[in-house]
Amino acid sequence: MASILLVEDEALIRMMVADMLADLGHNIAAEANDVASAMKHANDSAFDMALLDVSLGSCSVEPVAQALAKRNVPFAFASGYGSDGVPEAYRQRPMLRKPFRIDQLERCIAELLGKA
């Protein structure tokens, strides 16, 4: 299965998504709750794909998306606000609307990894 970078600033949501990913057989390569730690992982860690919360506190996840795009790492966004906060340059990327179900997450991962 896939190794995943999980970027989410809300601890309970991050734990819930991590559990869903584990239930689907994936492993968490790294977790981040802010832009600085997400950037470190986006630039330095090895993983197959990433799931990015659109807003990390008052900061946009856009720099992380840029770093991942530069490395050609597939990623999707997660947001409770729909596509409104998704950076314009990345609106074509998959997006999960929070709260999402495990089957929606599974389909998103399959799409990102070309297995849909």
Side-chain angles (χ1 to χ4, degrees):
M1 295 311 255
S3 61
I4 298 169
L5 167 63
L6 177 57
V7 180
E8 169 62 59
D9 63 336
E10 296 289 335
L12 291 176
I13 294 173
R14 193 172 58 251
M15 289 188 306
M16 180 190 70
V17 174
D19 286 346
M20 291 168 75
L21 291 167
D23 288 348
L24 291 170
H26 303 292
N27 75 26
I28 306 298
E31 294 183 31
N33 65 353
D34 59 32
V35 172
S37 58
M39 285 298 294
K40 179 173 176 17
H41 292 301
N43 288 317
D44 301 333
S45 299
F47 46 87
D48 299 315
M49 58 159 284
L51 183 59
L52 310 176
D53 183 7
V54 171
S55 295
L56 302 174
S58 62
C59 299
S60 170
V61 77
E62 186 168 10
V64 181
Q66 290 171 341
L68 294 171
K70 185 176 179 181
R71 287 182 60 192
N72 293 316
V73 174
F75 61 92
F77 293 102
S79 175
Y81 304 103
S83 62
D84 290 345
V86 175
E88 185 71 34
Y90 303 104
R91 294 245 165 116
Q92 80 285 3
R93 299 283 177 156
M95 196 201 70
L96 291 164
R97 174 89 187 230
K98 294 187 224 174
F100 50 85
R101 298 182 319 265
I102 194 167
D103 61 310
Q104 293 169 311
L105 178 60
E106 185 174 38
R107 280 193 303 275
C108 181
I109 292 169
E111 179 182 345
L112 283 174
L113 300 178
K115 299 175 182 177

